[in-house]
Amino acid sequence: MTKYAFFEGAIVPIEQATVSVMTHALHYGTACFGGIRGYWNEKHQNLYVFRIRDHFERFLMSTRLLLMKLPFTPDDLVNITLDLARREAMHHDIYIRPLAYKAEKIIGVRLHDLRDEVTIYAVPFGRYIESEEGARVCTSSWRRVDDTAIPARGKLAGAYVNSAFIKSEAMMNGFDEAIVLNPDGHVSEGSAENIFIIRNRTLITPPVSDNILEGITRRTLMDLATAQLGLQVVERSIDRTELYVADEAFFCGTGVQVAAIASVDRRPIGAGKMGPITTELRDLYFEVVRGNVPQYCDWCTPVF
Ligand code: PMP
């Protein structure tokens, strides 16, 4: 259970971390957030937070998009989060949620000249989607928000209304997730995860200019695939029908980790179950994030 939050400059009991109904961000979606996982390592009796500094660098990039002026460096936010995690003393996997929001209690939609606040809290966390070993996925009838409307490269709260439309449509139609296309018809990502397809042992993923969140897991897997598995990784636009003919496909993200895609629009991908490259990469990812691969322990910040 969550006991504390960082709120208005201090770590306070979670019950005290509340905002007014008049808060700007609540009305206009003028907030941005992050999502960071901490992995409990039973053997080391320690909790490792994965790529925490990279997450806070992206978090601050999102705040800049929203014209927020915050008095924190990435390292300040890392230290606050580690303090908070120590106070919580959670000895299991966690998910950390930093949120920066326009805190002013006024009517009037804009980004500039508003007071900004940051809050951070952690919750116990397991799986994000049930069928990580073979998700049944559809192509969304919705389109991804375009950079000319709401930039997807930042984790902007308001943009997640788009994600919510996408996810609910998929689930209400009996799928686990959806792949969403850009206004130009190319693949962008899932509702809250990046996507890779594999064709002829090459990993292919949309470039950051195709309305995707600049995912930390995406970057991690690109590094691991090239350095550890000797695979080629290509960033380029993906057509919808390439999904249907791919050998393998998977989603990735902090929440979803690495989740195999078994079918798209009821068409089986490859053998219709998790393929060999996805399996290998996923197994390696789980070892890396839990702090079991010395070469990558710089990515795993110990809490205790
Ligand atoms: N795309 C979207 C829209 C997301 O919400 C997320 C989850 N943060 C991702 C991709 C994956 O990003 P990351 O690997 O940094 O968690």
Side-chain angles (χ1 to χ4, degrees), residues 212-237:
I212 63 165
L213 183 76
E214 300 185 358
I216 312 270
T217 316
R218 172 181 178 276
R219 248 158 63 200
T220 301
L221 295 175
M222 288 166 78
D223 282 1
L224 293 178
T226 38
Q228 299 302 318
L229 306 188
L231 297 169
Q232 227 203 321
V233 182
V234 177
E235 291 176 87
R236 66 154 174 82
S237 294

PDB file of all heavy atoms in Angstrom, residues 212-237:
ATOM      1  N   ILE A 212       5.279   8.983 -31.900  1.00  0.00           N
ATOM      2  CA  ILE A 212       5.410   7.983 -30.831  1.00  0.00           C
ATOM      3  C   ILE A 212       5.974   8.656 -29.587  1.00  0.00           C
ATOM      4  O   ILE A 212       6.616   9.708 -29.664  1.00  0.00           O
ATOM      5  CB  ILE A 212       6.352   6.815 -31.231  1.00  0.00           C
ATOM      6  CG1 ILE A 212       7.792   7.303 -31.475  1.00  0.00           C
ATOM      7  CG2 ILE A 212       5.801   6.104 -32.456  1.00  0.00           C
ATOM      8  CD1 ILE A 212       8.816   6.180 -31.511  1.00  0.00           C
ATOM      9  N   LEU A 213       5.718   8.041 -28.434  1.00  0.00           N
ATOM     10  CA  LEU A 213       6.447   8.461 -27.252  1.00  0.00           C
ATOM     11  C   LEU A 213       7.877   7.950 -27.406  1.00  0.00           C
ATOM     12  O   LEU A 213       8.094   6.819 -27.858  1.00  0.00           O
ATOM     13  CB  LEU A 213       5.830   7.877 -25.975  1.00  0.00           C
ATOM     14  CG  LEU A 213       6.534   8.358 -24.708  1.00  0.00           C
ATOM     15  CD1 LEU A 213       6.146   9.783 -24.361  1.00  0.00           C
ATOM     16  CD2 LEU A 213       6.267   7.447 -23.530  1.00  0.00           C
ATOM     17  N   GLU A 214       8.829   8.809 -27.035  1.00  0.00           N
ATOM     18  CA  GLU A 214      10.236   8.389 -27.140  1.00  0.00           C
ATOM     19  C   GLU A 214      10.532   7.450 -25.979  1.00  0.00           C
ATOM     20  O   GLU A 214      11.015   7.856 -24.927  1.00  0.00           O
ATOM     21  CB  GLU A 214      11.138   9.620 -27.168  1.00  0.00           C
ATOM     22  CG  GLU A 214      10.825  10.521 -28.365  1.00  0.00           C
ATOM     23  CD  GLU A 214      11.782  11.697 -28.510  1.00  0.00           C
ATOM     24  OE1 GLU A 214      12.682  11.860 -27.674  1.00  0.00           O
ATOM     25  OE2 GLU A 214      11.624  12.452 -29.489  1.00  0.00           O
ATOM     26  N   GLY A 215      10.199   6.192 -26.171  1.00  0.00           N
ATOM     27  CA  GLY A 215      10.193   5.209 -25.090  1.00  0.00           C
ATOM     28  C   GLY A 215      11.579   4.813 -24.610  1.00  0.00           C
ATOM     29  O   GLY A 215      12.503   4.644 -25.411  1.00  0.00           O
ATOM     30  N   ILE A 216      11.686   4.652 -23.311  1.00  0.00           N
ATOM     31  CA  ILE A 216      12.956   4.227 -22.692  1.00  0.00           C
ATOM     32  C   ILE A 216      13.137   2.719 -22.924  1.00  0.00           C
ATOM     33  O   ILE A 216      14.242   2.246 -23.159  1.00  0.00           O
ATOM     34  CB  ILE A 216      12.944   4.520 -21.173  1.00  0.00           C
ATOM     35  CG1 ILE A 216      12.468   5.948 -20.899  1.00  0.00           C
ATOM     36  CG2 ILE A 216      14.291   4.188 -20.540  1.00  0.00           C
ATOM     37  CD1 ILE A 216      13.449   7.025 -20.846  1.00  0.00           C
ATOM     38  N   THR A 217      12.053   1.965 -22.863  1.00  0.00           N
ATOM     39  CA  THR A 217      12.138   0.517 -23.102  1.00  0.00           C
ATOM     40  C   THR A 217      12.523   0.258 -24.564  1.00  0.00           C
ATOM     41  O   THR A 217      13.323  -0.635 -24.855  1.00  0.00           O
ATOM     42  CB  THR A 217      10.782  -0.155 -22.794  1.00  0.00           C
ATOM     43  OG1 THR A 217      10.275   0.389 -21.581  1.00  0.00           O
ATOM     44  CG2 THR A 217      10.936  -1.655 -22.657  1.00  0.00           C
ATOM     45  N   ARG A 218      11.957   1.049 -25.461  1.00  0.00           N
ATOM     46  CA  ARG A 218      12.294   0.955 -26.897  1.00  0.00           C
ATOM     47  C   ARG A 218      13.799   1.095 -27.077  1.00  0.00           C
ATOM     48  O   ARG A 218      14.442   0.280 -27.729  1.00  0.00           O
ATOM     49  CB  ARG A 218      11.516   2.058 -27.633  1.00  0.00           C
ATOM     50  CG  ARG A 218      11.841   2.274 -29.092  1.00  0.00           C
ATOM     51  CD  ARG A 218      10.986   3.437 -29.624  1.00  0.00           C
ATOM     52  NE  ARG A 218      11.262   3.762 -31.014  1.00  0.00           N
ATOM     53  CZ  ARG A 218      12.246   4.556 -31.406  1.00  0.00           C
ATOM     54  NH1 ARG A 218      13.052   5.125 -30.514  1.00  0.00           N
ATOM     55  NH2 ARG A 218      12.425   4.817 -32.694  1.00  0.00           N
ATOM     56  N   ARG A 219      14.365   2.161 -26.454  1.00  0.00           N
ATOM     57  CA  ARG A 219      15.814   2.403 -26.553  1.00  0.00           C
ATOM     58  C   ARG A 219      16.606   1.261 -25.932  1.00  0.00           C
ATOM     59  O   ARG A 219      17.626   0.825 -26.463  1.00  0.00           O
ATOM     60  CB  ARG A 219      16.148   3.699 -25.807  1.00  0.00           C
ATOM     61  CG  ARG A 219      16.595   4.807 -26.726  1.00  0.00           C
ATOM     62  CD  ARG A 219      16.401   6.159 -26.097  1.00  0.00           C
ATOM     63  NE  ARG A 219      17.191   6.380 -24.892  1.00  0.00           N
ATOM     64  CZ  ARG A 219      16.904   7.315 -23.987  1.00  0.00           C
ATOM     65  NH1 ARG A 219      15.859   8.088 -24.156  1.00  0.00           N
ATOM     66  NH2 ARG A 219      17.661   7.477 -22.925  1.00  0.00           N
ATOM     67  N   THR A 220      16.117   0.772 -24.796  1.00  0.00           N
ATOM     68  CA  THR A 220      16.792  -0.334 -24.108  1.00  0.00           C
ATOM     69  C   THR A 220      16.864  -1.563 -25.010  1.00  0.00           C
ATOM     70  O   THR A 220      17.913  -2.187 -25.159  1.00  0.00           O
ATOM     71  CB  THR A 220      16.013  -0.695 -22.816  1.00  0.00           C
ATOM     72  OG1 THR A 220      15.962   0.466 -21.988  1.00  0.00           O
ATOM     73  CG2 THR A 220      16.656  -1.840 -22.071  1.00  0.00           C
ATOM     74  N   LEU A 221      15.730  -1.890 -25.634  1.00  0.00           N
ATOM     75  CA  LEU A 221      15.679  -3.097 -26.463  1.00  0.00           C
ATOM     76  C   LEU A 221      16.502  -2.937 -27.743  1.00  0.00           C
ATOM     77  O   LEU A 221      17.090  -3.898 -28.233  1.00  0.00           O
ATOM     78  CB  LEU A 221      14.228  -3.454 -26.799  1.00  0.00           C
ATOM     79  CG  LEU A 221      13.373  -3.844 -25.583  1.00  0.00           C
ATOM     80  CD1 LEU A 221      11.936  -4.060 -26.000  1.00  0.00           C
ATOM     81  CD2 LEU A 221      13.923  -5.096 -24.899  1.00  0.00           C
ATOM     82  N   MET A 222      16.563  -1.712 -28.262  1.00  0.00           N
ATOM     83  CA  MET A 222      17.401  -1.476 -29.444  1.00  0.00           C
ATOM     84  C   MET A 222      18.865  -1.755 -29.094  1.00  0.00           C
ATOM     85  O   MET A 222      19.592  -2.401 -29.857  1.00  0.00           O
ATOM     86  CB  MET A 222      17.215  -0.034 -29.941  1.00  0.00           C
ATOM     87  CG  MET A 222      15.861   0.175 -30.606  1.00  0.00           C
ATOM     88  SD  MET A 222      15.429   1.905 -30.836  1.00  0.00           S
ATOM     89  CE  MET A 222      16.399   2.290 -32.256  1.00  0.00           C
ATOM     90  N   ASP A 223      19.272  -1.284 -27.903  1.00  0.00           N
ATOM     91  CA  ASP A 223      20.656  -1.537 -27.443  1.00  0.00           C
ATOM     92  C   ASP A 223      20.901  -3.025 -27.234  1.00  0.00           C
ATOM     93  O   ASP A 223      21.907  -3.568 -27.691  1.00  0.00           O
ATOM     94  CB  ASP A 223      20.907  -0.838 -26.086  1.00  0.00           C
ATOM     95  CG  ASP A 223      21.149   0.647 -26.255  1.00  0.00           C
ATOM     96  OD1 ASP A 223      21.102   1.126 -27.400  1.00  0.00           O
ATOM     97  OD2 ASP A 223      21.381   1.326 -25.227  1.00  0.00           O
ATOM     98  N   LEU A 224      19.989  -3.688 -26.528  1.00  0.00           N
ATOM     99  CA  LEU A 224      20.193  -5.103 -26.202  1.00  0.00           C
ATOM    100  C   LEU A 224      20.184  -5.964 -27.465  1.00  0.00           C
ATOM    101  O   LEU A 224      20.992  -6.887 -27.593  1.00  0.00           O
ATOM    102  CB  LEU A 224      19.114  -5.598 -25.230  1.00  0.00           C
ATOM    103  CG  LEU A 224      19.133  -4.999 -23.817  1.00  0.00           C
ATOM    104  CD1 LEU A 224      17.972  -5.551 -22.986  1.00  0.00           C
ATOM    105  CD2 LEU A 224      20.459  -5.267 -23.108  1.00  0.00           C
ATOM    106  N   ALA A 225      19.278  -5.646 -28.385  1.00  0.00           N
ATOM    107  CA  ALA A 225      19.169  -6.459 -29.613  1.00  0.00           C
ATOM    108  C   ALA A 225      20.453  -6.380 -30.432  1.00  0.00           C
ATOM    109  O   ALA A 225      20.939  -7.389 -30.947  1.00  0.00           O
ATOM    110  CB  ALA A 225      17.981  -6.002 -30.441  1.00  0.00           C
ATOM    111  N   THR A 226      21.019  -5.184 -30.533  1.00  0.00           N
ATOM    112  CA  THR A 226      22.248  -5.059 -31.334  1.00  0.00           C
ATOM    113  C   THR A 226      23.461  -5.585 -30.558  1.00  0.00           C
ATOM    114  O   THR A 226      24.219  -6.401 -31.082  1.00  0.00           O
ATOM    115  CB  THR A 226      22.510  -3.587 -31.766  1.00  0.00           C
ATOM    116  OG1 THR A 226      22.147  -2.727 -30.700  1.00  0.00           O
ATOM    117  CG2 THR A 226      21.738  -3.205 -32.971  1.00  0.00           C
ATOM    118  N   ALA A 227      23.609  -5.144 -29.311  1.00  0.00           N
ATOM    119  CA  ALA A 227      24.838  -5.487 -28.574  1.00  0.00           C
ATOM    120  C   ALA A 227      24.871  -6.945 -28.118  1.00  0.00           C
ATOM    121  O   ALA A 227      25.919  -7.566 -28.121  1.00  0.00           O
ATOM    122  CB  ALA A 227      24.989  -4.559 -27.371  1.00  0.00           C
ATOM    123  N   GLN A 228      23.741  -7.478 -27.704  1.00  0.00           N
ATOM    124  CA  GLN A 228      23.755  -8.822 -27.106  1.00  0.00           C
ATOM    125  C   GLN A 228      23.280  -9.913 -28.066  1.00  0.00           C
ATOM    126  O   GLN A 228      23.740 -11.037 -27.992  1.00  0.00           O
ATOM    127  CB  GLN A 228      22.882  -8.846 -25.839  1.00  0.00           C
ATOM    128  CG  GLN A 228      23.355  -7.891 -24.753  1.00  0.00           C
ATOM    129  CD  GLN A 228      24.790  -8.165 -24.320  1.00  0.00           C
ATOM    130  OE1 GLN A 228      25.183  -9.317 -24.161  1.00  0.00           O
ATOM    131  NE2 GLN A 228      25.574  -7.115 -24.157  1.00  0.00           N
ATOM    132  N   LEU A 229      22.327  -9.579 -28.941  1.00  0.00           N
ATOM    133  CA  LEU A 229      21.800 -10.627 -29.822  1.00  0.00           C
ATOM    134  C   LEU A 229      22.319 -10.493 -31.252  1.00  0.00           C
ATOM    135  O   LEU A 229      21.991 -11.308 -32.119  1.00  0.00           O
ATOM    136  CB  LEU A 229      20.261 -10.614 -29.820  1.00  0.00           C
ATOM    137  CG  LEU A 229      19.561 -10.691 -28.448  1.00  0.00           C
ATOM    138  CD1 LEU A 229      18.059 -10.856 -28.613  1.00  0.00           C
ATOM    139  CD2 LEU A 229      20.115 -11.836 -27.605  1.00  0.00           C
ATOM    140  N   GLY A 230      23.128  -9.453 -31.505  1.00  0.00           N
ATOM    141  CA  GLY A 230      23.717  -9.283 -32.838  1.00  0.00           C
ATOM    142  C   GLY A 230      22.696  -9.064 -33.946  1.00  0.00           C
ATOM    143  O   GLY A 230      22.923  -9.425 -35.094  1.00  0.00           O
ATOM    144  N   LEU A 231      21.568  -8.471 -33.590  1.00  0.00           N
ATOM    145  CA  LEU A 231      20.516  -8.253 -34.592  1.00  0.00           C
ATOM    146  C   LEU A 231      20.602  -6.839 -35.143  1.00  0.00           C
ATOM    147  O   LEU A 231      21.093  -5.926 -34.490  1.00  0.00           O
ATOM    148  CB  LEU A 231      19.137  -8.459 -33.949  1.00  0.00           C
ATOM    149  CG  LEU A 231      18.857  -9.867 -33.414  1.00  0.00           C
ATOM    150  CD1 LEU A 231      17.597  -9.853 -32.570  1.00  0.00           C
ATOM    151  CD2 LEU A 231      18.741 -10.868 -34.557  1.00  0.00           C
ATOM    152  N   GLN A 232      20.078  -6.685 -36.344  1.00  0.00           N
ATOM    153  CA  GLN A 232      19.994  -5.354 -36.940  1.00  0.00           C
ATOM    154  C   GLN A 232      18.699  -4.690 -36.476  1.00  0.00           C
ATOM    155  O   GLN A 232      17.656  -5.373 -36.379  1.00  0.00           O
ATOM    156  CB  GLN A 232      19.962  -5.505 -38.447  1.00  0.00           C
ATOM    157  CG  GLN A 232      20.912  -4.578 -39.176  1.00  0.00           C
ATOM    158  CD  GLN A 232      20.468  -4.357 -40.604  1.00  0.00           C
ATOM    159  OE1 GLN A 232      19.993  -5.288 -41.260  1.00  0.00           O
ATOM    160  NE2 GLN A 232      20.599  -3.139 -41.084  1.00  0.00           N
ATOM    161  N   VAL A 233      18.764  -3.405 -36.158  1.00  0.00           N
ATOM    162  CA  VAL A 233      17.554  -2.658 -35.788  1.00  0.00           C
ATOM    163  C   VAL A 233      17.411  -1.485 -36.748  1.00  0.00           C
ATOM    164  O   VAL A 233      18.361  -0.737 -36.968  1.00  0.00           O
ATOM    165  CB  VAL A 233      17.628  -2.125 -34.339  1.00  0.00           C
ATOM    166  CG1 VAL A 233      16.347  -1.404 -33.973  1.00  0.00           C
ATOM    167  CG2 VAL A 233      17.902  -3.254 -33.352  1.00  0.00           C
ATOM    168  N   VAL A 234      16.229  -1.343 -37.312  1.00  0.00           N
ATOM    169  CA  VAL A 234      15.978  -0.268 -38.273  1.00  0.00           C
ATOM    170  C   VAL A 234      14.804   0.575 -37.775  1.00  0.00           C
ATOM    171  O   VAL A 234      13.770   0.033 -37.387  1.00  0.00           O
ATOM    172  CB  VAL A 234      15.636  -0.853 -39.674  1.00  0.00           C
ATOM    173  CG1 VAL A 234      15.313   0.248 -40.661  1.00  0.00           C
ATOM    174  CG2 VAL A 234      16.785  -1.713 -40.182  1.00  0.00           C
ATOM    175  N   GLU A 235      14.991   1.900 -37.769  1.00  0.00           N
ATOM    176  CA  GLU A 235      13.885   2.809 -37.446  1.00  0.00           C
ATOM    177  C   GLU A 235      13.349   3.345 -38.768  1.00  0.00           C
ATOM    178  O   GLU A 235      14.048   4.097 -39.459  1.00  0.00           O
ATOM    179  CB  GLU A 235      14.386   3.975 -36.599  1.00  0.00           C
ATOM    180  CG  GLU A 235      14.802   3.605 -35.203  1.00  0.00           C
ATOM    181  CD  GLU A 235      15.375   4.808 -34.450  1.00  0.00           C
ATOM    182  OE1 GLU A 235      14.594   5.548 -33.835  1.00  0.00           O
ATOM    183  OE2 GLU A 235      16.610   4.995 -34.500  1.00  0.00           O
ATOM    184  N   ARG A 236      12.135   2.956 -39.095  1.00  0.00           N
ATOM    185  CA  ARG A 236      11.512   3.465 -40.323  1.00  0.00           C
ATOM    186  C   ARG A 236      10.003   3.310 -40.207  1.00  0.00           C
ATOM    187  O   ARG A 236       9.500   2.559 -39.365  1.00  0.00           O
ATOM    188  CB  ARG A 236      12.041   2.723 -41.555  1.00  0.00           C
ATOM    189  CG  ARG A 236      11.677   1.252 -41.618  1.00  0.00           C
ATOM    190  CD  ARG A 236      11.659   0.764 -43.066  1.00  0.00           C
ATOM    191  NE  ARG A 236      11.462  -0.668 -43.191  1.00  0.00           N
ATOM    192  CZ  ARG A 236      10.271  -1.270 -43.148  1.00  0.00           C
ATOM    193  NH1 ARG A 236       9.157  -0.570 -42.954  1.00  0.00           N
ATOM    194  NH2 ARG A 236      10.161  -2.580 -43.278  1.00  0.00           N
ATOM    195  N   SER A 237       9.278   4.028 -41.049  1.00  0.00           N
ATOM    196  CA  SER A 237       7.818   3.934 -41.029  1.00  0.00           C
ATOM    197  C   SER A 237       7.386   2.517 -41.377  1.00  0.00           C
ATOM    198  O   SER A 237       8.034   1.841 -42.181  1.00  0.00           O
ATOM    199  CB  SER A 237       7.207   4.921 -42.021  1.00  0.00           C
ATOM    200  OG  SER A 237       7.486   6.237 -41.593  1.00  0.00           O
TER     201      SER A 237
END
